[in-house]
Amino acid sequence: MSEISKLATAFEERSKERAASTEKAVVSAFEKHESALLSALSESEQRTKNAIRAQSQNLERIALRSWMAVAIPVIVTLLLSAGAIWTMGWYIKHQIDTITQQNATISRLSEQGGDINLTTCGDSSRLCAEIDDPSRDAKGYGENGQYRILKGY
């Protein structure tokens, strides 16, 4: 029985050695597998980050184009409106200056006797003017004979 016992002990030792070597092989395989998985995950993470970064940049460009599509017409409209307002202001100021000059001319002519009342008289519709003294002998026109045809008309 001692041989059986020796054989059993030897078998047990070989089994333990094999279990230990199998365990070392399995641990080593697991470490290699873990390393390969970590490397693959790291590469996948980097690819995902790069894809996200590229998509983000693409979306930023699209957003910028969208804002430009809105901002440019708004800016052009504002500039055109400002130009129209400035042009109308200049035109109105010019018209006010013209009216002021014309009013000054009318006042000056009125002071110089330019307050003449003109109308048309007679069958041929000739230009005639109102006179101060309608009592003269010349033929007059109007209700009181206050209009006379001017010489040269």
Side-chain angles (χ1 to χ4, degrees):
M1 205 101 147
S2 110
E3 257 186 63
I4 294 179
S5 169
K6 286 183 187 180
L7 283 173
T9 307
F11 178 74
E12 186 179 343
E13 284 180 25
R14 274 187 280 153
S15 293
K16 285 182 182 178
E17 287 175 7
R18 283 185 187 166
S21 72
T22 303
E23 184 180 345
K24 286 180 184 177
V26 168
V27 168
S28 174
F30 274 130
E31 287 175 354
K32 288 179 185 176
H33 185 66
E34 181 183 20
S35 174
L37 280 176
L38 287 175
S39 175
L41 284 174
S42 176
E43 289 176 18
S44 177
E45 178 186 22
Q46 192 61 37
R47 282 193 307 257
T48 303
K49 283 181 180 179
N50 290 340
I52 290 172
R53 189 176 306 115
Q55 186 65 24
S56 176
Q57 288 173 350
N58 189 29
L59 289 174
E60 285 175 4
R61 275 187 251 123
I62 290 171
L64 180 62
R65 276 190 240 139
S66 297
W67 278 105
M68 286 174 34
V70 171
I72 289 174
V74 167
I75 290 170
V76 168
T77 301
L78 290 174
L79 289 174
L80 288 173
S81 299
I85 289 171
W86 180 83
T87 302
M88 289 304 297
W90 174 83
Y91 179 75
I92 290 170
K93 182 186 179 304
H94 177 71
Q95 293 298 329
I96 289 172
D97 291 344
T98 301
I99 290 170
T100 302
Q101 289 172 354
Q102 289 173 345
N103 284 338
T105 302
I106 289 171
S107 294
R108 188 175 36 95
L109 288 175
S110 182
E111 290 171 4
Q112 295 175 354
D115 208 7
I116 297 173
N117 190 6
L118 300 174
T119 188
T120 54
C121 301
D123 295 332
S124 59
S125 295
R126 294 176 60 194
L127 185 65
C128 56
E130 186 176 14
I131 60 172
D132 281 342
D133 186 12
S135 64
R136 293 207 183 165
D137 293 338
K139 179 181 177 198
Y141 298 94
E143 290 179 17
N144 299 322
Q146 74 270 25
Y147 289 98
R148 300 285 192 278
I149 296 174
L150 300 174
K151 183 176 179 181
Y153 284 100

